[in-house]
Amino acid sequence: MLLFVLCVQIKCFHEIITIGYSVYHSYHLPWFRTLSWYFLLCVNYFFYGETVTDYFFTLVQREEPLRILSKYHRFISFALYLTGFCMFVLSLVKKHYRLQFYMFGWTHVTLLIIVTQSHLIIHNLFEGMIWFIVPISCVICNDIMAYMFGFFFGRTPLIKLSPKKTWEGFIGGFFATILFGILLSYVMAGYRYFVCPVEFNNDSNSFTVYCEPSELFQLQYYVLPSVLQSTTVRLYPFQIHSIALSSFASIMGPFGGFFASGFKRAFKIKDFANTIPGHGGIMDRFDCQYLMATFVNVYIASFIRGPNPSKVIQQLLALRLDQQLHIFNSLKAHLIEKGLLPAVEEAA
């Protein structure tokens, strides 16, 4: 899945950069495409390095080359970017300054939209496959159902940027996506492979996705309002969260598509590319997914993710022995003060 996300990211970046190059290629701007791909390499090195260090700290500390790269990762990343920055300055040509700065900004905005949000998709993936599959599926479902409802019942135009979009399709897609999200979440929440985050197991020296499911993925009883005669239902708490994910996919997700439509109209093109016959480029298929990925990452950080004991322990094990001992004594004194550990008299 990581390779899939990376391939999609590279292709989307290529499609947008190609549009910029096709607009200004007649000016023969030096090093534009070379620098664009170089900056993509730099940003990916930074983000992937941060991810590996964050999620697989123990593995990184065990391997000397990885430990050195991890320790100086941000400095190396900055040095790489600074090299590209200097190359851009050296490539400036008289009479083309403004165009070159336009394209410099074009590249960086593309990196912000594509690479940064791709990095958030990977973070979602490491939280558990369910946080990756359910949001993507909800966007796809909304796209299909909005088209179906609009095709059969559409009468009222929704937005001028997309004349074929209708209010009937928008509303029908919303309710269909909510139902789909609840059902898909119920099916996937029952499998540990989908709900467990990937971790590195020191004992087996391998990556695992086995865990004891959190309360979020354990069936619980819920009492519906008295208007419905206090009916009791069994649901996974994640299904309730899926309503928020489905709602965003239905209400705000399409605005990613509207944004892409406005972008294409600005450059008078129908599609970003012709990679998929009849469907345009990869960016045409993933324009809503990037916005959805950002929301999922923010949602997890705001409402789901709590303190991670395993990461705290990993950080502690990286400290010097005297620092570890100091923290141990401080924690022990705190637990004794709280009454969780019996007070032990010091030996005379």
Side-chain angles (χ1 to χ4, degrees), residues 130-132 134-136 138 174 177-186 189 195 214-218 220 222 235-250 292 295-306:
I130 195 169
W131 292 104
F132 176 80
V134 169
I136 286 180
C138 285
F174 171 78
T177 305
I178 294 292
L179 179 61
F180 172 80
I182 293 174
L183 294 176
L184 180 62
S185 299
Y186 180 82
V195 304
S214 65
E215 292 184 359
L216 200 62
F217 304 106
Q218 296 179 11
Q220 298 182 20
Y222 292 91
L235 297 172
Y236 292 103
F238 181 80
Q239 288 180 271
I240 299 175
H241 292 289
S242 73
I243 297 176
L245 301 180
S246 301
S247 298
F248 186 89
S250 304
M292 184 69 195
F295 171 74
V296 173
N297 189 269
V298 172
Y299 189 87
I300 292 174
S302 302
F303 303 107
I304 304 298
R305 186 188 296 130

Side-chain angles (χ1 to χ4, degrees), residues 197-346:
V198 61
E199 294 181 349
F200 182 77
N201 191 314
N202 288 316
D203 298 328
S204 61
N205 198 32
S206 62
F207 297 101
T208 62
V209 287
Y210 181 84
C211 68
E212 190 63 32
S214 65
E215 292 184 359
L216 200 62
F217 304 106
Q218 296 179 11
L219 283 169
Q220 298 182 20
Y221 287 97
Y222 292 91
V223 179
L224 297 180
S226 56
V227 179
L228 302 175
Q229 299 179 350
S230 300
T231 305
T232 302
V233 295
R234 290 186 71 195
L235 297 172
Y236 292 103
F238 181 80
Q239 288 180 271
I240 299 175
H241 292 289
S242 73
I243 297 176
L245 301 180
S246 301
S247 298
F248 186 89
S250 304
I251 298 174
M252 300 304 300
F255 280 85
F258 300 152
F259 177 85
S261 296
F263 182 90
K264 288 182 286 187
R265 285 176 180 272
F267 290 93
K268 298 179 181 180
I269 56 176
K270 181 181 179 182
D271 298 310
F272 283 96
N274 57 357
T275 307
I276 308 174
H279 293 276
I282 299 297
M283 191 63 198
D284 291 287
R285 298 298 92 202
F286 284 84
D287 48 10
C288 301
Q289 297 289 0
Y290 285 115
L291 187 62
M292 184 69 195
T294 303
F295 171 74
V296 173
N297 189 269
V298 172
Y299 189 87
I300 292 174
S302 302
F303 303 107
I304 304 298
R305 186 188 296 130
N308 191 331
S310 63
K311 288 188 178 181
V312 175
I313 293 175
Q314 290 176 1
Q315 294 289 339
L316 289 176
L317 294 177
L319 298 176
R320 300 193 310 270
L321 292 178
D322 60 317
Q323 294 174 323
Q324 294 180 24
L325 185 61
H326 174 73
I327 293 175
F328 170 77
N329 290 328
S330 300
L331 181 60
K332 180 180 177 181
H334 174 74
L335 294 176
I336 291 175
E337 182 182 349
K338 294 293 183 180
L340 298 176
L341 287 180
V344 179
E345 296 183 0
E346 296 184 4

Side-chain angles (χ1 to χ4, degrees), residues 24-96:
Y24 295 115
H25 74 281
S26 60
Y27 294 96
H28 303 290
L29 302 181
W31 296 3
F32 166 61
R33 286 192 293 185
T34 302
L35 285 175
S36 296
W37 287 103
Y38 178 80
F39 282 125
L40 176 67
L41 176 66
C42 294
V43 175
N44 269 316
Y45 174 80
F46 171 74
F47 279 131
Y48 274 89
E50 291 284 309
T51 300
V52 170
T53 303
D54 186 31
Y55 285 95
F56 307 117
F57 184 81
T58 304
L59 174 63
V60 170
Q61 292 300 313
R62 286 174 49 182
E63 303 293 335
E64 185 64 19
L66 291 178
R67 189 183 66 80
I68 295 174
L69 287 175
S70 173
K71 182 177 181 180
Y72 302 106
H73 173 68
R74 296 192 176 185
F75 180 81
I76 295 173
S77 300
F78 178 72
L80 289 173
Y81 177 83
L82 197 61
T83 301
F85 178 81
C86 293
M87 290 171 63
F88 168 74
V89 174
L90 293 174
S91 72
L92 290 174
V93 178
K94 190 176 181 180
K95 295 183 179 180
H96 291 326

